Amino acid sequence: MGSRIDFSDAPYPGLRPFRPDEADIYFGREAQVDALLGRLQQRRFLAVVGPSGCGKSSLVRAGMIPALETGFMADAGAEWRVLTMTPGDHPLDRLAACLSAQGERSGSEGRQRGDESGDLPTPLTAAALRSGPLGLIDLVRETRLAAHGNLLLVVDQFEEIFRYWEKGDRDEADAFVSLLLASTAQRELPIYVVITMRSDFLGECAVFSGLPEAINDSQYLTPRITREQCQLAIVGPARVFGGSVEPHLVNRLLNDFGPDPDQLPLLQHALMRMWQRARARAENTGQPPLLTQADYTALGGLARALSNHADEVLGELPAAQRAIAEVMFRCLTERGMGRRDTRSPAILADVASVAGVTAQDVYPVVEAFRRPDRSFIVPPSGRPLTPSTLLDIGHESLIRQWRTLGDWVEQEATCASLYQRLKVTARLWQQGEEALLRNPGLERALQWLAQERPFSAWAKRYGSEEEFAGTIAFLRASEQAWSEEQRRQQEAAALEQEQQIARKTRESEQERLKAENTALRNHKRFLSAIAVLVPLLLAAAIGAGWQMKIAKDEAKAKDRAVQAAIAAQEVARAEADRTAQLLERLTNSERTKRAFLTGDIEAIRQLARAAGKSPEMQFGATKTASGWKASDGKPIYRYELYPTPASLAGPLASASQISYYMAHETFREKLLTAGPANGFAASYQGWGCLTVVYVLVEYADPERPPDVTSYDMCEALGR
């Protein structure tokens, strides 16, 4: 057995799989190891399958490999050269690098046993492997790689080959599988192949010729461990290191150990954490380490221990590094068919590009999550990081059990789904088969663009850079067309208002002229009657009097006409002013909303200064301890912003939405939006409050313009 490394001072490996040099702390699987050896001896090809988290990798690494090196497969002897790899991207290149690594002892994570054959240049080795299905056989024969024993190739996480077949190079994936099958079909050279694979990928094996038949001939479905085996896995390692476990804790762990396959890595992680606490107590008391129920309860039990631990690590990072961590974990996971969340290894430099930072900025984040007592990220601690380092999730159970990561995976899946739809629509638009976006779809797409701020490096996960550029151009063209349409509608509305005013003015003038004509006709009839009935002299005298009266009436009529014209002009002027004010309100409302949505802080400040602070519109704030601390020791709080009850009952009674803009560089998402369902309350987590929070209030009445104000959140906390 090789010497113990990294975790040699602890009986429990935590989230990562057991290593071959940890066979002395690997308990409860002896019968299963015997079954593996029997099948491998018969077929030379062995597929170890089972659900994620059932212990496949540990069974092979810490169970089967040490048994082979001890000589338990008698017909093959005890001399073994063990190569361990994962397919990842370019599986033939990975196999070539594995074969080229010489002079290192077998049995450690990612190491191989050396021999006297000398170094093999990786490019030449890769070329030999690509020569055909017999490439590995020819290479072993020519370089005498198995001259002094047996060659065992362990392909862990074999399900990665299906992702590479779908999204990478299908020819290379086919060649890699053919190479494995051909190498174990011959009997001239002692070449053995063991693959570990999630059982939910069994159906996808049919894409490779010959693979279903090989798996049918030599498949081992990893069984669940029994209660007795689980008890050995709990108490055995502690005894090896001079410690013990409270009997009540053993019983509680066995009762909490449910049917979910994730329970096995969760158990190992919780035991590792409890051992760290017990060892710390032992160093102070001088007593042997004892794992207690109090430790188990403090960690949150099997259900929360892993999620709480990951949250603690995240909380130790400053805000900028927490943002990088979110991007990193979103890059390292992907959602497949049927909401199947899996690992998606990524190059460190690609993660940095998606996050918009340098590779050096990513290093401390990776180090925080790959410490030996965490193992949330691989490669494991101790291996140097470079921009070309391939990062991966330490164990898929982290994806399913860390609640924060689950939220990130959901958010990434939502963003990816939206982007894929936009990409297809943009391509159809470029081909003249689809129109530009309109609301509400356009508003949602622009909001996604403003909040996520995607880079082309992110979009490469879901297509090409050209497709991303075309999609952004499509969104910008849609936004411009929508703005132009809104402008034309506003101009049309203004023209309609002007035409209505002109029409009302003409109608008023026509009514006035009609009234004057009617008055004149009546006057003529009256004069004719007087001329007939009254003698000429009397008519002359009386006529003079009537002429004076008529003149006065005409003067009054003219005066009334002038007043009516003046009143009509006033009405027209008032209608024009109202129309101008309406257009100005619509324009200002659009400008105000756009300033908050795009984060135009200068425009927001101008709007707030112009609006002033309304004494009737008041806002409050609260803070609650989250239990986290930042890397500098500052406690992390959950802050909540909300309008006061008096304001809700008063000026905000008809509000439909309230947005809070956090004008500080530490906020990655500066705009917090709330609706009436929760009293217009929004929240965030951080270590401090803001002296200036800008508030946008929108109302249910579409003609009522939004209000902009600001308030001192820190002062509100003190009230």
Side-chain angles (χ1 to χ4, degrees):
M1 298 296 293
S3 61
R4 197 187 306 277
I5 60 172
D6 291 341
F7 273 81
S8 59
D9 61 340
Y12 306 104
L15 201 60
R16 65 168 178 80
F18 282 82
R19 297 190 306 266
D21 63 330
E22 293 175 328
D24 58 336
I25 59 172
Y26 188 66
F27 287 84
R29 297 275 195 173
E30 292 77 6
Q32 297 172 21
V33 171
D34 292 340
L36 291 183
L37 296 180
R39 299 193 183 203
L40 184 64
Q41 184 170 3
Q42 292 176 1
R43 300 293 183 183
R44 291 196 178 185
F45 178 88
L46 177 60
V48 182
V49 300
S52 175
C54 73
K56 303 180 296 294
S57 298
S58 296
L59 179 61
V60 171
R61 294 173 187 241
M64 187 191 73
I65 292 176
L68 290 173
E69 293 178 335
T70 307
F72 285 173
M73 199 164 86
D75 292 347
E79 293 297 326
W80 289 86
R81 172 174 172 77
V82 182
L83 308 179
T84 303
M85 63 168 291
T86 57
D89 293 335
H90 303 293
L92 289 177
D93 289 340
R94 287 201 168 196
L95 178 56
C98 231
L99 290 165
S100 299
Q102 295 293 314
E104 298 185 38
R105 179 163 178 79
S106 170
S108 298
E109 178 75 26
R111 298 188 174 188
Q112 299 82 36
R113 182 188 299 279
D115 58 22
E116 296 80 18
S117 59
D119 290 343
L120 297 171
T122 300
L124 295 179
T125 307
L129 294 175
R130 284 184 166 83
S131 63
L134 304 180
L136 179 59
I137 300 172
D138 295 338
L139 190 63
V140 171
R141 180 186 298 113
E142 294 172 5
T143 58
R144 302 179 67 230
L145 283 170
H148 304 293
N150 308 282
L151 177 63
L152 172 64
L153 174 60
V154 177
V155 185
D156 202 4
Q157 299 169 30
F158 185 78
E159 62 269 9
E160 291 181 1
I161 198 68
F162 303 113
R163 179 176 58 84
Y164 185 65
W165 184 86
E166 180 182 357
K167 298 184 178 180
D169 186 341
R170 293 191 175 186
D171 291 337
E172 181 175 350
D174 290 334
F176 177 72
V177 174
S178 298
L179 196 75
L180 300 181
L181 298 178
S183 299
T184 56
Q186 55 82 40
R187 287 298 181 267
E188 176 188 354
L189 299 173
I191 301 176
Y192 298 79
V193 173
V194 175
I195 67 172
T196 67
M197 183 180 69
R198 284 173 45 176
S199 54
D200 52 333
F201 282 88
L202 271 174
E204 300 184 36
C205 292
V207 301
F208 295 110
S209 177
L211 183 58
E213 292 81 359
I215 292 179
N216 287 337
D217 288 340
S218 183
Q219 176 189 160
Y220 184 78
L221 180 60
T222 307
R224 288 187 56 200
I225 63 175
T226 65
R227 187 178 179 91
E228 292 74 18
Q229 292 169 339
C230 186
Q231 183 172 355
L232 285 175
I234 293 171
V235 302
R239 290 173 181 171
V240 171
F241 281 82
S244 59
V245 185
E246 280 185 350
H248 292 298
L249 174 59
V250 174
N251 191 58
R252 184 174 175 186
L253 287 170
L254 293 174
N255 291 336
D256 289 351
F257 193 84
D260 186 350
D262 280 341
Q263 297 297 299
L264 198 55
L266 291 180
L267 175 64
Q268 285 294 330
H269 176 268
L271 288 170
M272 178 200 70
R273 295 272 281 162
M274 287 189 286
W275 177 262
Q276 292 170 349
R277 297 167 67 95
R279 187 177 58 182
R281 286 195 304 270
E283 291 175 355
N284 294 328
T285 63
Q287 298 295 321
L290 175 64
L291 279 63
T292 67
Q293 285 202 75
D295 297 326
Y296 183 65
T297 302
L299 294 176
L302 286 184
R304 293 303 301 266
L306 178 57
S307 184
N308 290 346
H309 190 192
D311 282 337
E312 289 174 12
V313 178
L314 184 66
E316 292 172 0
L317 301 177
Q321 292 184 357
R322 287 199 300 272
I324 296 174
E326 177 180 349
V327 172
M328 178 179 70
F329 279 103
R330 287 174 64 169
C331 288
L332 296 179
T333 55
E334 67 178 1
R335 172 157 293 173
M337 296 296 293
R339 296 180 64 86
R340 183 168 60 184
D341 299 331
T342 60
R343 291 185 284 204
S344 176
I347 301 297
L348 190 147
D350 294 340
V351 173
S353 297
V354 175
V357 298
T358 66
Q360 288 72 23
D361 294 327
V362 181
Y363 292 166
V365 180
V366 176
E367 293 293 353
F369 283 96
R370 72 167 185 162
R371 269 177 32 183
D373 60 340
R374 294 167 180 175
S375 301
F376 298 144
I377 293 291
V378 293
S381 178
R383 294 193 186 179
L385 295 176
T386 67
S388 61
T389 297
L390 185 70
L391 302 178
D392 198 0
I393 298 291
H395 196 284
E396 281 191 342
S397 60
L398 183 70
I399 304 175
R400 295 182 288 272
Q401 300 298 329
W402 184 14
R403 301 188 180 187
T404 300
L405 178 53
D407 293 340
W408 289 341
V409 172
E410 184 68 33
Q411 185 178 356
E412 179 67 21
T414 300
C415 291
S417 175
L418 176 60
Y419 172 67
Q420 295 284 23
R421 292 199 302 272
L422 291 174
K423 187 177 67 174
V424 172
T425 307
R427 183 172 62 250
L428 293 175
W429 170 69
Q430 292 166 355
Q431 297 170 354
E433 300 177 7
E434 185 60 84
L436 292 171
L437 277 184
R438 297 174 56 84
N439 279 344
L442 176 59
E443 184 177 2
R444 182 186 177 190
L446 293 177
Q447 186 176 16
W448 164 76
L449 196 63
Q451 291 180 348
E452 293 295 325
R453 299 178 182 177
F455 294 98
S456 60
W458 171 83
K460 286 172 65 176
R461 293 186 67 188
Y462 308 104
S464 65
E465 294 185 2
E466 291 75 14
E467 289 175 324
F468 177 71
T471 302
I472 297 301
F474 168 68
L475 285 179
R476 294 308 181 196
S478 299
E479 181 182 23
Q480 183 177 358
W482 178 259
S483 299
E484 181 65 22
E485 182 180 349
Q486 293 296 103
R487 185 187 63 79
R488 289 196 300 267
Q489 290 179 355
Q490 292 174 2
E491 290 179 351
L495 180 61
E496 177 65 21
Q497 289 287 339
E498 293 177 358
Q499 291 174 348
Q500 289 182 2
I501 292 172
R503 185 167 58 253
K504 290 180 179 180
T505 302
R506 289 194 302 269
E507 291 174 354
S508 177
E509 182 66 18
Q510 290 173 356
E511 290 295 328
R512 183 184 63 81
L513 293 175
K514 182 179 180 181
E516 290 181 354
N517 290 333
T518 300
L520 288 175
R521 286 195 299 269
N522 291 337
H523 178 62
K524 288 179 180 179
R525 295 191 191 98
F526 182 77
L527 289 178
S528 298
I530 294 299
V532 173
L533 298 176
V534 182
L536 292 177
L537 293 177
L538 185 57
I542 295 174
W546 275 106
Q547 288 294 330
M548 293 177 65
K549 185 176 183 302
I550 291 170
K552 289 180 181 180
D553 291 342
E554 288 179 350
K556 290 180 180 179
K558 289 180 180 180
D559 183 65
R560 284 193 300 270
V562 170
Q563 293 298 325
I566 293 173
Q569 290 177 356
E570 290 296 329
V571 170
R573 190 179 297 110
E575 290 292 335
D577 290 344
R578 181 178 179 276
T579 301
Q581 291 173 1
L582 178 61
L583 289 174
E584 183 178 2
R585 284 199 305 271
L586 291 173
T587 303
N588 289 341
S589 298
E590 183 69 21
R591 188 183 301 116
T592 301
K593 294 178 182 179
R594 184 180 297 274
F596 273 78
L597 184 62
T598 60
D600 189 346
I601 185 59
E602 292 301 325
I604 294 174
R605 286 174 178 149
Q606 292 178 3
L607 291 168
R609 284 196 298 267
K613 294 185 178 180
S614 172
E616 297 178 353
M617 196 178 296
Q618 298 291 327
F619 293 84
T622 60
K623 72 174 183 177
T624 307
S626 68
W628 295 354
K629 288 188 178 180
S631 58
D632 57 359
K634 293 181 179 178
I636 302 297
Y637 295 94
R638 181 178 184 273
Y639 292 89
E640 185 173 87
L641 303 83
Y642 54 87
T644 63
S647 299
L648 285 175
L652 300 180
S654 61
S656 62
Q657 179 172 289
I658 297 180
S659 301
Y660 305 87
Y661 188 83
M662 320 302 288
H664 197 276
E665 65 275 5
T666 59
F667 281 81
R668 185 166 183 265
E669 296 185 3
K670 293 183 168 61
L671 189 63
L672 308 177
T673 302
N678 64 340
F680 302 101
S683 64
Y684 70 92
Q685 291 187 334
W687 52 263
C689 57
L690 298 183
T691 56
V692 179
V693 175
Y694 295 98
V695 183
L696 171 67
V697 181
E698 300 177 61
Y699 298 93
D701 184 359
E703 293 191 3
R704 181 173 179 179
D707 288 329
V708 177
T709 185
S710 64
Y711 81 103
D712 188 334
M713 175 187 168
C714 298
E715 181 183 4
L717 283 172
R719 290 201 292 263

